[in-house]
Amino acid sequence: MTDRCQLNLRLDGRRELLETIKEVAAAEGLSVNAWVVRTLEIAANSPATAPIAKSETTSATAPAIPDIEPVLDTLLDIKLDTLLAAKFAGIEERLGKLKA
């Protein structure tokens, strides 16, 4: 049996982001959970793109955690570009059949 870990992620005021994640995950044949876990793994294993500001509550010995938002934005941009290209290709194909 595997050790179950859980992360509750609130997306307050970001319903569009949630809907986009659902669409991208479905397009890749993944559950939302599997897609988010994979995306977090990629982000955690990528070098930080910007310096991280230390908060007053961060201890000097705490490891630095890269800012995940730019990584997620980049990944979503790539996924959305792929999805849109596929959707447009499908629309163009249907239009071509209608004209024929």
Side-chain angles (χ1 to χ4, degrees):
M1 190 162 122
T2 61
D3 180 28
R4 182 178 178 142
C5 298
Q6 186 168 336
L7 169 68
N8 295 321
L9 180 63
R10 288 191 349 231
L11 297 174
D12 298 341
R14 311 242 0 221
R15 181 162 301 279
E16 285 184 31
L17 175 61
L18 176 59
E19 295 307 318
T20 301
I21 291 170
K22 287 178 181 179
E23 290 174 18
V24 172
E28 293 184 19
L30 297 171
S31 68
V32 169
N33 186 72
W35 187 88
V36 169
V37 168
R38 187 191 67 190
T39 303
L40 290 172
E41 285 174 340
I42 291 168
N45 292 319
S46 298
T49 56
I52 299 161
K54 289 188 178 183
S55 70
E56 294 176 12
T57 58
T58 304
S59 75
T61 60
I65 300 172
D67 185 5
I68 196 167
E69 189 170 350
V71 176
L72 289 175
D73 286 343
T74 301
L75 289 171
L76 277 174
D77 284 346
I78 292 167
K79 301 297 180 186
L80 288 174
D81 287 346
T82 303
L83 282 172
L84 287 174
K87 286 192 183 272
F88 285 139
I91 290 169
E92 288 174 350
E93 182 180 328
R94 281 181 259 150
L95 286 174
K97 288 179 182 178
L98 288 174
K99 290 179 181 178

